[in-house]
Amino acid sequence: MHSDGAPHMLIPNETDGIARIQPDAGVGSWAHGERAADLQRLVDLGLPCPVTIALSCAKVHEIAEGLRFNPAGVVNEFGPDPLMSVQPSSGQRSWGGPRAFHDVGLNAATHARMARLLRRERADRRRLAFILRYATDVACLDAESFETAGRAADPVATALAIYADEAAEPFPEDAGLQLSRVLSSMAKAWEGVTARLLRHAQGAPLDAGLGLLVQDNGWAMTRGEIALIQARMFDPITGRQRINGQVRIRGRQARDTAPDPAGDTPKDTGKDTGHSPAQTGARITGTAEEGLETGFRDRAPDAFYEIAGVLETGRGGFREDRDYDMALTDRGLLVLDARPATSSARVALNNAIALVEAGVISRDDALLRIAPPALAGFLHPQVTPDPDRKPLFSGVAASPGGATGTIVFTPDAAAACAAREEPCILVRRETNPEDIRGMHLAQAIVTERGGMTSHAAVIARGLGVPCITGASSVTVSADKARMTLRDGRVLCEGDRLTIDGTNGEAYEGEIAMTPPDTDASFQEFMSWADAARDMGIRANADTPEDAALARSFKAEGIGLCRTEHMFFEPSRLIVMREMIFAGSEQDRRAALDQLLPMQRADFTALFETMAGLPVCIRLFDPPLHEFLPADREGRMNLAQSLDLSLTEVTKRIETISEFNPMLGMRGVRLGLMHPEIYEMQVRAIFEAAIEAGEAAGTRVEPEIMIPLVAGRSEVRLVKTRIDSVAAAVRVATGKDVTYRLGVLVETPRAALCAAEIAEYAELLSFGTNDLTQMTYGLSRDDASRFMKSYVQQGALTLDPFETLDFKGVGELIRIGADRGRAANPTIDLSICGEHGGDIDTMAFCREAGFSYVSCSPFRVPIARLSAAQLAIRSRME
C-alpha cells in the first residue's frame, strides 16, 4: 500500500530498465548502482523501506541522450497525490553524483494539503524551495531572478510568477512532467565533462554509469511528529559495539532548525498536537536534536528497541556495521538508507574485531576489510582532518604522519633547535647524506625536489618522520634562510609550519594531532595477520635503534642494513674524511683502523638487538663525494680539521667528483678499487658476530650483501677477499666464522646474468629503487619535477618510483629470479627497495616465489597485513 493507503499499480520487475525494489527483485550494483543494491538488500531482509523505483544506468543514459521517457508508470506507484525524491545511485557511492532532488510532485494541490497538515509557513517554505531548485537546476534559470521572492508577502505566488516570466511557460503542475524533467536534468548533469573529470579523480572510469532511484517521500507529510534518525551499532570514536546516533525531532512541538529530507529548514513548529507513533505506542516529541542512546531511549524505549532490531538485522545481512538513516512517524518506522560507514582506521579495525567477536564475520574477513596503508594511522601522529583547511603547498606524500615545528634550512640549525628542545621542520632543496644528522633531529622534512624513492623519502620513512618531497610550487633558498611560495608569500627560518606527510600537504601554524596508538586491539589484529600470511617480512634498519623499532613491529629480521649511514656522526665523519683524503693505501688503512672498532660496536649491537634473527648487511655503497662538504664554509672547516689549505681540499674534492656519480665509482666498484674499505667492514662484521654469539650463547651467521653488481667476476673477486678476511679472523680468534653471501641486483645486467651470479651467492635481493632508475634511465631525485605531468599526459600510467613497473622492471626481476633459481635451486629471493611494502609488489613477489620482502620499519605492519590479505585471497580462488 502507498503511505496514504492507496493501492500500488505495480511495475513488473525490470521493465525496460525500470524496476520496483521489492523482495527478490534482483536489483544489483552492476546495473542500478550501489545505493540501489543496498536498498534491495534492506528490502530482502524484510526491513520497512519506502516504495522505491530503480532506473538502471543504461536507462538513465538513454534519458541523458534525449530518448523519450514516459513517467506515468513510475508516478502511478506513489498513489493519487505523489510526493517523491530522486536519489543518485552510482556504481560506487564514492564516485558521487548529482544532488538528491526532494519533493518532486509538489504542486498546488499537494501544497494545499501540506498546509493543512504542517501549517502554512512550513508548506510555503517547502514549495518555495522546490520551485527555486527546479528553476535553477532543471529549467536553468538565473537564481538572481528569484531573490525578491523570499521577501514577498506571498513568496510562492511571486516565485511562480517569476518562473512563468523567465521560462516563458507556467511552472509545471503535473507530477509526471516534473519527474521526467528532473530525471533528465540529473542524467545530463552526470554525463557532463566536469562531472566526468570529478568522478574520474575519485577512481571511477570515465564511462561510469549512474542509476537513479525514485522514492516515496510522502511519509514526510505526516500530521504528527517525525523523528529523523541517524543510527549505528558501533562507537564512531572507538569502533567498539554500541548503539548510538542522533535523533532530530521535526514536528509541532520541537524547535527544529536542521534540514529535513525535503530540504527545508524548519523554524518553530508550534504547539504539541499529542500524536504518537502507532507502532511504538510512545511519544517522540522532544528537543530538536538529541542522542539516540542518551535521551531518546528513555523517552521512547519501544521505538529504540525497534531501531536496535533494524541494526542487528542489517549487521547480519550486510555482514558489517553501517550508518543507517531512518524516519519514525505516526505510521511507523522506515529505513531510508544504509550507508557504508566512513571512519578512521582505528574505528574500522575495532569494529572488525567486534564483528569477529559477535560471530558475524571470520578473522580472514576482518583482515580483508582494513586497507593496509590505513595502518599508518596507528603508527604515526596524524593531522586532524578539516575539509575547510587550505594547505600552503603540497607535494609527494613521501612519509606518513603529522608534525609541527619551526622552519630550519640547515642541519646546524636543526641541531640548534634540538639543543633548545624546540621542534623543527627541516626544509631543503634536496637532501644528501651530509644532511642525515639534521634529518635525525627534525620532526619532519620537506624538499623542493625528489619523489617517493629520493634520499629524503627513504631516510624519512626509515626514521618514521613525516616527509613531503617534490614540493615544486615552492622555491627554497637555504643561503637566505627562506622559502617562497607560488603566490609570492615568503616563509622564513623560525616560522611555524605543520606537515601532513600522509597527504603531502603543509599548513601554516600549529594544528592538533591524533596520537599514534598500537594498543592491545591493534596487536591482536596483527597477530591474526601473522597467522594468515605465508611470506616473510623483514625491515631495512641501519642502526640498533632502527633494529629495535623493527622488532617492536614484529619484523622477522633485517633485510638491508646500509652501513654508510653509520659514518655520518660528527666523530666518525672526520675520520671518514681523513680516509678519503689519504694519499696512499697505508694511510687509508690507518684511518680505517680508527673506524673498525666503531663499526664492530654497531654490528654487535645490531646482532644483539635482533637476537638470532637474520641480519643482512650491505657493504659500503655511495660514492665518496657524498661525505665531503659542498659549500665553501664546509670546505674551510674541513681544511682546518685536516691541517690542509682550502686550495688542497677543493682540488681533492674536484678530483674525486664525477659527472654522474650514481653511475660512477660506487658500490662494488669502490670495493674493488679500494678493497681496504670492504676488508675493514667485513672484519668488523665477523668480529661482531663472534662477540654477539658468545654473549648470547649461540651462533650468529651474518648475511653480507654486495651492492651494485653487474656480473659474476665482481662477485667472485669480492667473495675471495671476504673469505680471506674470514680465514684471518678464524686464525686470530680461534672461532669458526661462517656467513651467507648476498648480491644486490640493481642493474639490468645483473638481472640478466643472475644465473652466473647465483653460482657464488646464497641470496639475490632486488633493489627496486636503483633498478627502476637504471631501467628507465630516470633520476629518482629529479623525475618528480615532470613525472606528474608525464603521467597526466598518458606517457606513463603510474610513477614507477611509487608503483613498481611490472611490465618492464618487473620483467627484469622475473628473469633474474628464474635464472638465479635455475642455477641455484636453494637461493633465497627478496626485494629490499621501498616498493617492498606495496601490496601489488608483494603479490608479484609471492607469485614469483620470493622468500621475503624488506621495507622500512614503519612499513612492516603494513607489509604484514598485505601479505596476510594475499594469502587469504589465494585460498579463496
Side-chain angles (χ1 to χ4, degrees):
M1 300 287 286
H2 179 254
S3 56
D4 287 330
H8 289 293
M9 299 175 64
L10 298 181
I11 292 177
N13 186 38
E14 195 58 47
T15 298
D16 190 27
I18 304 174
R20 178 175 174 189
I21 298 180
Q22 53 192 347
D24 301 320
V27 170
S29 59
W30 63 92
H32 297 85
E34 188 175 17
R35 182 172 185 148
D38 290 341
L39 196 60
Q40 176 69 65
R41 179 71 62 85
L42 291 171
V43 170
D44 287 342
L45 291 171
L47 296 176
C49 300
V51 172
T52 305
I53 307 301
L55 277 67
S56 70
C57 298
K59 186 65 178 179
V60 173
H61 178 69
E62 290 180 0
I63 294 172
E65 292 291 307
L67 295 184
R68 181 177 175 79
F69 169 66
N70 185 355
V74 174
V75 172
N76 287 341
E77 290 290 307
F78 302 100
D81 298 310
L83 196 61
M84 302 162 284
S85 66
V86 182
Q87 309 278 352
S89 179
S90 53
Q92 294 182 19
R93 289 180 185 250
S94 60
W95 297 350
R99 272 195 308 147
F101 215 118
H102 298 289
D103 280 346
V104 179
L106 183 50
N107 53 23
T110 312
H111 177 220
R113 179 168 166 263
M114 186 181 290
R116 292 194 300 273
L117 290 171
L118 305 180
R119 296 177 54 118
R120 169 65 64 178
E121 295 84 358
R122 174 181 291 277
D124 285 352
R125 280 197 300 272
R126 286 180 60 169
R127 182 92 196 272
L128 178 62
F130 176 65
I131 293 169
L132 295 180
R133 174 80 190 279
Y134 187 95
T136 54
D137 287 14
V138 179
C140 298
L141 302 181
D142 192 339
E144 292 182 0
S145 303
F146 293 85
E147 287 181 353
T148 59
R151 300 188 297 269
D154 189 340
V156 173
T158 302
L160 290 173
I162 294 172
Y163 181 93
D165 183 57
E166 294 288 328
E169 66 175 10
F171 188 85
E173 292 288 301
D174 181 73
L177 182 57
Q178 289 182 11
L179 177 62
S180 176
R181 291 180 177 178
V182 166
L183 292 174
S184 177
S185 170
M186 295 177 73
K188 289 176 180 177
W190 175 261
E191 306 249 340
V193 174
T194 301
R196 286 172 181 258
L197 294 176
L198 286 174
R199 64 176 176 266
H200 185 58
Q202 298 296 323
L206 289 173
D207 60 350
L210 174 74
L212 290 173
L213 302 178
V214 184
Q215 195 170 69
D216 182 20
N217 203 36
W219 57 266
M221 214 160 62
T222 181
R223 182 183 296 275
E225 295 81 21
I226 296 176
L228 303 174
I229 303 157
Q230 291 181 333
R232 65 186 73 85
M233 207 169 184
F234 62 94
D235 191 299
I237 304 301
T238 67
R240 298 296 186 185
Q241 181 171 337
R242 179 174 75 87
I243 296 175
N244 67 105
Q246 291 298 117
V247 179
R248 289 180 294 154
I249 308 297
R250 198 205 71 192
R252 296 191 177 231
Q253 183 186 47
R255 298 181 62 88
D256 181 6
T257 58
D260 68 11
D264 69 351
T265 305
K267 307 294 182 185
D268 185 1
T269 52
K271 298 181 180 180
D272 180 19
T273 61
H275 285 276
S276 302
Q279 292 189 359
T280 63
R283 299 167 65 90
I284 60 173
T285 54
T287 58
E289 186 166 349
E290 63 184 333
L292 175 64
E293 191 177 21
T294 55
F296 187 80
R297 177 178 186 169
D298 294 335
R299 290 188 302 96
D302 291 343
F304 175 84
Y305 288 113
E306 186 177 1
I307 293 167
V310 169
L311 297 179
E312 187 68 44
T313 300
R315 166 183 264 196
F318 286 103
R319 299 183 67 246
E320 66 180 12
D321 287 326
R322 293 196 165 203
D323 288 322
Y324 288 78
D325 293 328
M326 307 183 204
L328 182 64
T329 74
D330 55 4
R331 300 188 185 98
L333 183 69
L334 285 174
V335 182
L336 307 179
D337 196 9
R339 294 170 282 110
T342 301
S343 58
S344 67
R346 162 67 56 193
V347 171
L349 184 143
N350 283 338
N351 183 235
I353 291 175
L355 290 171
V356 172
E357 292 172 346
V360 177
I361 62 175
S362 67
R363 290 184 176 183
D364 284 357
D365 290 330
L367 291 169
L368 292 174
R369 292 189 177 196
I370 306 299
L375 295 185
F378 293 87
L379 311 176
H380 309 274
Q382 299 291 324
V383 174
T384 304
D386 181 353
D388 297 326
R389 188 188 299 132
K390 303 300 181 184
L392 283 174
F393 61 87
S394 61
V396 176
S399 182
T404 297
T406 58
I407 300 173
V408 297
F409 292 92
T410 65
D412 289 340
C417 282
R420 299 191 300 268
E421 297 185 351
E422 179 183 349
C424 67
I425 309 296
L426 179 62
V427 178
R428 302 287 282 168
R429 187 164 186 239
E430 59 185 331
T431 62
N432 56 57
E434 194 175 358
D435 294 322
I436 285 180
R437 179 170 63 98
M439 298 170 77
H440 274 271
L441 298 172
Q443 275 60 53
I445 300 162
V446 176
T447 64
E448 178 184 336
R449 299 171 61 182
M452 279 297 290
T453 58
S454 65
H455 178 268
V458 172
I459 300 303
R461 286 195 291 270
L463 295 174
V465 300
C467 179
I468 299 173
T469 59
S472 56
S473 64
V474 306
T475 301
V476 177
S477 303
D479 56 336
K480 297 179 181 178
R482 70 184 188 186
M483 58 191 300
T484 306
L485 307 184
R486 178 173 289 167
D487 61 6
R489 282 184 293 171
V490 175
L491 300 178
C492 300
E493 190 155 291
D495 289 343
R496 299 281 286 179
L497 200 63
T498 293
I499 301 302
D500 181 357
T502 303
N503 297 303
E505 296 176 335
Y507 300 93
E508 189 173 11
E510 185 167 353
I511 297 174
M513 301 285 170
T514 302
D517 184 9
T518 55
D519 61 5
S521 61
F522 176 83
Q523 298 298 341
E524 180 183 13
F525 184 82
M526 294 309 300
S527 72
W528 299 350
D530 291 335
R533 64 184 170 90
D534 55 11
M535 175 179 278
I537 308 295
R538 294 196 197 181
N540 301 338
D542 305 331
T543 65
E545 293 76 18
D546 292 343
L549 184 64
R551 286 212 67 191
S552 71
F553 290 142
K554 302 295 190 297
E556 297 167 315
I558 294 176
L560 178 65
C561 172
R562 295 160 289 206
T563 55
E564 61 271 9
H565 291 164
M566 300 174 176
F567 295 124
F568 283 98
E569 292 182 12
S571 61
R572 301 183 183 193
L573 186 57
I574 188 62
V575 180
M576 189 68 183
R577 287 172 171 173
E578 288 178 6
M579 188 272 294
I580 295 172
F581 273 78
S584 66
E585 180 181 334
Q586 183 178 357
D587 291 341
R588 280 194 297 274
R589 288 187 181 275
L592 290 168
D593 285 344
Q594 298 178 61
L595 292 173
L596 174 62
M598 302 176 187
Q599 285 263 276
R600 182 171 58 233
D602 290 333
F603 296 140
T604 301
L606 209 60
F607 292 137
E608 289 175 347
T609 301
M610 296 312 293
L613 294 174
V615 177
C616 185
I617 299 172
R618 184 183 73 182
L619 298 177
F620 195 88
D621 179 56
L624 293 178
H625 83 278
E626 290 192 357
F627 295 87
L628 301 177
D631 60 335
R632 180 180 176 83
E633 182 181 357
R635 293 180 180 184
M636 287 183 64
N637 293 334
L638 179 59
Q640 293 172 355
S641 65
L642 297 178
D643 195 22
L644 297 172
S645 69
L646 179 60
T647 301
E648 289 175 298
V649 169
T650 302
K651 184 177 180 180
R652 177 60 176 158
I653 291 175
E654 291 175 349
T655 299
I656 66 173
S657 296
E658 299 172 294
F659 288 111
N660 193 343
M662 289 300 98
L663 297 177
M665 196 170 73
R666 55 167 288 215
V668 68
R669 303 159 197 164
L670 184 64
L672 291 176
M673 297 305 296
H674 296 295
E676 59 274 10
I677 297 177
Y678 278 10
E679 289 175 12
M680 179 276 291
Q681 289 194 299
V682 170
R683 179 177 293 275
I685 292 170
F686 289 148
E687 291 176 353
I690 292 171
E691 183 178 334
E694 288 180 342
T698 186
R699 183 173 178 172
V700 175
E701 184 180 51
E703 297 174 350
I704 299 176
M705 185 89 74
I706 307 173
L708 209 71
V709 163
R712 172 174 60 180
S713 298
E714 294 169 323
V715 179
R716 176 176 54 80
L717 288 169
V718 174
K719 184 179 188 305
T720 299
R721 287 171 179 160
I722 293 175
D723 290 341
S724 176
V725 175
V729 171
R730 193 178 297 116
V731 170
T733 63
K735 303 292 184 180
D736 190 24
V737 176
T738 61
Y739 71 98
R740 299 181 73 232
L741 184 67
V743 169
L744 200 53
V745 180
E746 301 170 280
T747 67
R749 191 177 192 279
L752 297 173
C753 298
E756 297 177 354
I757 293 172
E759 294 177 18
Y760 296 97
E762 296 162 279
L763 167 65
L764 290 182
S765 186
F766 293 83
T768 56
N769 298 347
D770 268 342
L771 186 57
T772 297
Q773 182 170 236
M774 294 191 184
T775 302
Y776 271 91
L778 280 173
S779 165
R780 65 186 187 184
D781 293 308
D782 297 325
S784 64
R785 288 185 293 175
F786 61 85
M787 185 57 69
K788 184 176 181 180
S789 175
Y790 216 61
V791 171
Q792 288 177 342
Q793 292 183 54
L796 285 175
T797 306
L798 296 166
D799 183 343
F801 295 110
E802 293 188 24
T803 303
L804 185 64
D805 165 34
F806 300 112
K807 185 175 182 180
V809 179
E811 183 64 17
L812 280 172
I813 294 174
R814 212 177 277 113
I815 290 170
D818 291 343
R819 292 181 181 179
R821 192 185 292 112
N824 182 356
T826 63
I827 200 165
D828 281 331
L829 302 171
S830 72
I831 272 184
C832 62
E834 279 304 308
H835 290 106
D838 174 68
I839 190 168
D840 292 330
T841 302
M842 293 179 67
F844 170 84
C845 294
R846 188 174 182 273
E847 183 180 345
F850 278 42
S851 307
Y852 65 88
V853 298
S854 187
C855 53
S856 61
F858 281 96
R859 286 182 68 90
V860 166
I862 295 171
R864 289 162 59 198
L865 178 57
S866 297
Q869 291 183 353
L870 291 171
I872 292 168
R873 291 190 180 109
S874 70
R875 293 196 295 268
M876 294 169 61
E877 293 176 353

